[in-house]
Amino acid sequence: LADPKTVERKFSLLHRVSRYAIVGGPDWLATLVKLFNPLLKMELRHFPLDGEDAARAWLSEDGDEDR
């Protein structure tokens, strides 16, 4: 995070992402995702630690298996 150019590149790549799944993490992360989801252009969803298969299914719902 110290290099502004690196941060800028990462944010520019996020503009190309339509869906972003977060699997696992602390309990408060699900609440944070719900708060930020309406503010982002991409769809953001939190899944429990054992929900990786569900996350992958959600990411590929539009038929794009390469995500």
Side-chain angles (χ1 to χ4, degrees), residues 19 21 45 47 51-65 67:
R19 287 185 171 180
R45 191 178 286 184
F47 294 85
E52 183 177 348
D53 290 339
R56 289 182 182 275
W58 175 70
L59 288 172
S60 62
E61 274 181 5
D62 65 353
D64 186 2
E65 294 293 331
R67 290 184 183 212

Side-chain angles (χ1 to χ4, degrees), residues 9-67:
R9 275 185 244 131
K10 288 183 180 185
F11 279 115
S12 70
L13 290 173
L14 281 177
H15 289 289
R16 299 178 184 174
V17 175
S18 60
R19 287 185 171 180
Y20 194 92
I22 299 174
V23 179
D27 293 338
W28 55 263
L29 190 54
T31 303
L32 192 66
V33 167
K34 287 179 186 176
L35 288 173
F36 279 100
N37 192 35
L39 305 173
L40 301 172
K41 289 184 178 182
M42 73 176 99
E43 291 181 74
L44 183 63
R45 191 178 286 184
H46 177 263
F47 294 85
L49 187 57
D50 62 351
E52 183 177 348
D53 290 339
R56 289 182 182 275
W58 175 70
L59 288 172
S60 62
E61 274 181 5
D62 65 353
D64 186 2
E65 294 293 331
D66 294 333
R67 290 184 183 212

